[in-house]
Amino acid sequence: MVTLKQLAKELNVSISTVSKALNNSDEIGEETVKRVKELANLYNYRPNKMALSLKQNKTKTIGVIIPNILSRFLAKVLFGIEREANKHGYNIITCISNESLDKEKESLQLLGSGSVDGFILSVAQESQVNNEIDHFKRTISNGLPIVMFDRVAHDVMCDKVIVDDFDATYNATKSLIREKRKNIGFISNINDISVGKLRERGYNKAILEEGKQEPIVLKIKKKDDPQKKIKSFFKKNKGIDAIVGADSSSGIIALNMAVDLGLNVPKDISVIAFASKSDSNHTFPKLTTIRQHAKSIGTNAAELLIHRIENAAANERMKTKIVKTSLVKNKSTL
Amino acid sequence: MVTLKQLAKELNVSISTVSKALNNSDEIGEETVKRVKELANLYNYRPNKMALSLKQNKTKTIGVIIPNILSRFLAKVLFGIEREANKHGYNIITCISNESLDKEKESLQLLGSGSVDGFILSVAQESQVNNEIDHFKRTISNGLPIVMFDRVAHDVMCDKVIVDDFDATYNATKSLIREKRKNIGFISNINDISVGKLRERGYNKAILEEGKQEPIVLKIKKKDDPQKKIKSFFKKNKGIDAIVGADSSSGIIALNMAVDLGLNVPKDISVIAFASKSDSNHTFPKLTTIRQHAKSIGTNAAELLIHRIENAAANERMKTKIVKTSLVKNKSTL
DNA sequence: ATGAAAGCGCTAACAC
DNA sequence: GTGTTAGCGCTTTCAT
């Protein structure tokens, strides 16, 4: 990679002349600017990013810490973040916490020492369970803004982007009640994290409000075989005529299991679940889904963070954006 | 963030003393080392990464350019890369080319000017279709090593990690022939990229070698509705008794469609497809899959790159690693 | 045992 | 209009 120094030498001018010429400073003569630019072009000169960062004390880089890249939802959010960041001239450094508090701390620590201008993250399960938030606070007090999305730590003062999890399952359940469903079950593979609990509460509220049945809830744990669990859930609750799935896996397996058990979906039983478009394209009948608009969550998070970074002085009040889910009716409901 | 300068001032020693003390240089007196380390600890001092990078002319960062983060396969590879990179003290900057040549070029350009020590990438579709490779060559000649995986450009001299695509479908088809299947079809949603073509050729070879049927191939294009296409494919080819899917989407939809059309899987028809474990857990019966060991591909790519970076002087011959697929028999085959 | 100084590549305030 | 200089934070060689 060619440097200013080398260009300067070859052109017999000073380094600062070259720098100014390339930055279109009007201090420099037309003729010189032309000569400089030509040579720079020839050698395909690009200013060294590290030098710029060091000098200007900003990296134009965002640290993204996600608990799990294999989740379609999180991958999509990442996609949204990347696109929005790029639009504003930022790159992203991605770390995967793997739900581990230590890895989360470490990433914050490592990237926090000069590699990034701020963070976008979704809290690791372990951190959530233990309610660990000191590492976030430390990062923020070091001058690096954080935007949390989806799984947030309420006690940390920072910008947040969340989903209306409670309303989503509340409304989905209501919609099943409107279909005259009398035995609506709830299946969750994510009951240990905050959003999973919110989703269950939304379902519970709708059921209790109606007052015609008790909640019927299946919580699948990490070590369980989901197919077996769901099968025995169906066996035990014969009369069940609708399912709300807290996550795509629960929903997809429930739908397929129902079909496999000889039930007609949606005549005998309706299924709704948090899932993506491609998930619903992969089931027969197509799964009715609660869409989270993951990309938009990413976009919003990136916007918030970049705004915060570039207006650090302004010291604006922290914002929480709610990205509303939408219920997309497909063929697995009436 | 506290700097050496500030520590030095507070301790009334010089910057270089602090630096040496923290780096355990034996030039510095025991007592001083202790004092320095204590204060550094107190202030939670971390050396600034940008300064280090600039000084040592290495960033300990890897640029990863993938065509699409929403592909489970690519997300998994990314996971493998990240883990292996971290193990060696590297971070990763992720760019998503979105299958676009321009974005690929731009990412190479942007990150190539000092942000990373090398690249791991899978070639964008557009670049592959147009056989554009100059940008790769330019990057390499700038001293930045590249490791390509999965979709590689054969004419670029660099380390590569590939899958035995041809053998995978060849063997899968053979295995269906051994099941006495007489009308084996092939469905692909990825026929425009290199690996898609290899997979088709593997299927073709097995069919032609056997000589008992003609290849029956369905190529789905981006604008098509895959469900409709596959449905009419089944209608047109009534006697079909086995499917090889070049990608998970084709396989999953084919399996579900067969069930929906009243066929018994695997009694009437077998289905094999490139897919992940979670994909096969989401179908009934569980899909027999060709596993690509995506994580291992990522690990291998990261290993190759880091080795290349850290032994740049050695100028070793370029390697191509083949990560073999495995055929995991589940319930969608006999 | 400690410190001064140079230099990584760049920008910008300040000479001339 | 062009050049000199300082400085971002750090390591390291070379004095002292």
Side-chain angles (χ1 to χ4, degrees), chain B residues 13-14 16-17 20 27 29 32 55:
Chain B
V13 294
S14 76
S16 53
T17 302
K20 285 172 189 165
E27 283 180 46
T32 317
K55 180 80 189 155

Side-chain angles (χ1 to χ4, degrees), chain A residues 43-57:
Chain A
Y43 285 143
N44 197 24
Y45 167 81
R46 305 286 142 179
N48 180 295
K49 252 214 106 190
M50 294 300 152
L52 276 177
S53 298
L54 186 59
K55 179 82 189 148
Q56 310 183 327
N57 198 28

Side-chain angles (χ1 to χ4, degrees), chain B residues 99-106 108 121-140 146 148 151-158:
Chain B
E99 308 289 7
S100 140
L101 169 61
D102 279 345
K103 180 82 195 293
E104 191 174 80
K105 272 188 187 165
E106 201 187 301
L108 238 28
L121 60 87
S122 186
V123 180
Q125 185 176 328
E126 196 186 344
S127 317
Q128 258 196 349
V129 170
N130 302 329
N131 201 25
E132 280 268 2
I133 55 170
D134 288 0
H135 52 310
F136 300 132
K137 291 190 170 170
R138 212 176 312 131
T139 302
I140 293 172
I146 294 182
M148 296 186 178
R151 298 192 213 154
V152 302
H154 287 290
D155 299 339
V156 177
M157 280 281 290
C158 66

Side-chain angles (χ1 to χ4, degrees), chain B residues 19-291:
Chain B
S19 171
K20 285 172 189 165
L22 291 173
N23 290 306
N24 295 314
S25 160
D26 46 2
E27 283 180 46
I28 306 296
E30 222 177 292
E31 178 60 22
T32 317
V33 169
K34 209 180 136 220
R35 280 177 58 225
V36 171
K37 286 201 170 174
E38 263 166 16
L39 195 70
N41 244 346
L42 178 65
Y43 284 146
N44 195 23
Y45 166 81
R46 306 285 143 180
N48 180 295
K49 252 212 106 190
M50 293 300 153
L52 237 52
S53 298
L54 186 58
K55 180 80 189 155
Q56 312 183 326
N57 198 28
K58 61 186 182 192
T59 62
K60 285 283 197 172
T61 305
I62 293 173
V64 180
I65 308 175
I66 55 178
N68 171 10
I69 184 75
L70 302 181
S71 142
R72 231 193 135 64
F73 169 67
L74 290 171
K76 253 184 179 157
V77 175
L78 188 61
F79 183 53
I81 294 173
E82 203 260 358
R83 217 173 41 177
E84 186 66 20
N86 273 201
K87 209 193 283 173
H88 295 268
Y90 284 74
N91 282 120
I92 63 172
I93 295 195
T94 312
C95 289
I96 297 155
S97 69
N98 239 315
E99 308 289 7
S100 140
L101 169 61
D102 279 345
K103 180 82 195 293
E104 191 174 80
K105 272 188 187 165
E106 201 187 301
S107 302
L108 238 28
Q109 182 74 262
L110 247 42
L111 299 186
S113 32
S115 295
V116 303
D117 295 337
F119 289 95
I120 296 176
L121 60 87
S122 186
V123 180
Q125 185 176 328
E126 196 186 344
S127 317
Q128 258 196 349
V129 170
N130 302 329
N131 201 25
E132 280 268 2
I133 55 170
D134 288 0
H135 52 310
F136 300 132
K137 291 190 170 170
R138 212 176 312 131
T139 302
I140 293 172
S141 73
N142 270 333
L144 290 175
I146 294 182
V147 174
M148 296 186 178
F149 70 90
D150 197 47
R151 298 192 213 154
V152 302
H154 287 290
D155 299 339
V156 177
M157 280 281 290
C158 66
D159 293 311
K160 288 164 192 150
V161 182
I162 55 176
V163 164
D164 61 336
D165 292 289
F166 181 91
D167 291 346
T169 43
Y170 176 78
N171 291 331
T173 309
K174 279 286 191 193
S175 137
L176 291 170
I177 290 172
R178 256 178 269 122
E179 285 181 12
K180 312 277 182 230
R181 300 301 183 178
K182 307 283 183 224
N183 280 289
I184 305 170
F186 179 83
I187 306 183
S188 172
N189 215 330
I190 53 167
N191 206 259
D192 30 15
I193 58 175
S194 59
V195 298
K197 291 193 179 104
L198 283 173
R199 290 174 194 179
E200 187 191 350
R201 273 188 234 141
Y203 159 82
N204 278 335
K205 186 178 177 213
I207 295 294
L208 296 177
E209 232 174 59
E210 187 68 9
K212 301 253 174 76
Q213 64 159 107
E214 289 301 302
I216 314 171
V217 173
L218 171 63
K219 296 176 188 173
I220 299 168
K221 295 195 192 64
K222 223 165 194 153
K223 55 176 178 23
D224 294 337
D225 174 340
Q227 299 217 0
K228 275 191 192 149
K229 275 284 186 182
I230 291 175
K231 189 164 193 171
S232 69
F233 180 72
F234 274 126
K235 297 274 184 201
K236 200 158 50 191
N237 300 282
K238 287 281 184 196
I240 217 151
D241 57 8
I243 294 289
V244 177
D247 57 285
S248 62
S249 182
S250 300
I252 294 170
I253 296 178
L255 187 152
N256 283 329
M257 184 62 77
V259 171
D260 197 54
L261 292 173
L263 296 172
N264 180 311
V265 179
K267 230 178 101 217
D268 304 330
I269 181 168
S270 287
V271 183
I272 297 181
F274 275 85
S276 69
K277 189 169 174 183
S278 90
D279 286 329
S280 74
N281 276 339
H282 285 170
T283 62
F284 280 62
K286 286 192 184 182
L287 181 62
T288 289
T289 53
I290 301 169
R291 289 284 165 67

